[in-house]
Amino acid sequence: MISLDQVLLLQNKVETAVAKITSLQEQIARLNSDNDALRAQCAELTKSLEEKTELVSSLEAHQGKIEEGILNALNRLDTVENTILNNGEDGAQGETDSSSDEPVTEETPHEEGDNSGNEDSNQAQESSELREVAEEIENVTETSQDVQMAEGETPQNSDNGEVEIF
């Protein structure tokens, strides 16, 4: 026959098993909710990765235009720099030519007017070329900003007020 001690021992074992089952069910529910949260986070990260991949593809597609614009601006700057340097050398050669052993005579006002007219013409040409280069650089910057804005990003300003392109 079954003794009272055996029944109590069985009852303790059943209660312990029920407590463990309850604990495991709670743990399973917690792990399921963690799993759901991780799946949602994974979906968000996957979507973000797809958006970034599209952004990179778009930037790669526009990279040629941006590089071409920058190279054109650099070439224009080289041209302007060469023009300025050549004009500076012409002026230096004129000074060395005038420092020959021949006596220096004053030029008539008519000749000075012609000379200053040439300098003004050269300065106007250099100024116009500089303006064109500045406009070209501005167009490249705007194109790059348009690409960023089309992708949903905003250009970031640096400390000196210029727009940084990423």
Side-chain angles (χ1 to χ4, degrees), residues 13 18 25 35 37 42-43 48-49 52 55 57 59 109 121 130 143 156 159:
K13 287 184 178 184
V18 169
Q25 286 175 339
N35 191 16
C42 182
S48 176
L49 176 64
K52 298 300 179 190
L55 175 64
S57 298
L59 288 176
S121 170
L130 286 173
T143 300
Q156 298 182 5
D159 292 339

Side-chain angles (χ1 to χ4, degrees), residues 2-17:
I2 300 176
S3 70
L4 184 58
D5 290 334
Q6 289 175 333
V7 171
L8 290 176
L9 182 63
L10 180 61
Q11 183 181 357
N12 283 340
K13 287 184 178 184
V14 169
E15 287 176 0
T16 305

Side-chain angles (χ1 to χ4, degrees), residues 113-146:
D114 289 344
N115 191 18
S116 66
N118 288 340
E119 289 176 11
D120 289 343
S121 170
N122 288 340
Q123 287 176 352
Q125 182 182 2
E126 291 170 5
S127 176
S128 118
E129 288 177 356
L130 286 173
R131 269 186 254 119
E132 289 176 11
V133 169
E135 288 174 4
E136 216 169 301
I137 290 172
E138 192 173 311
N139 288 339
V140 168
T141 304
E142 288 175 1
T143 300
S144 179
Q145 288 175 358
D146 291 344

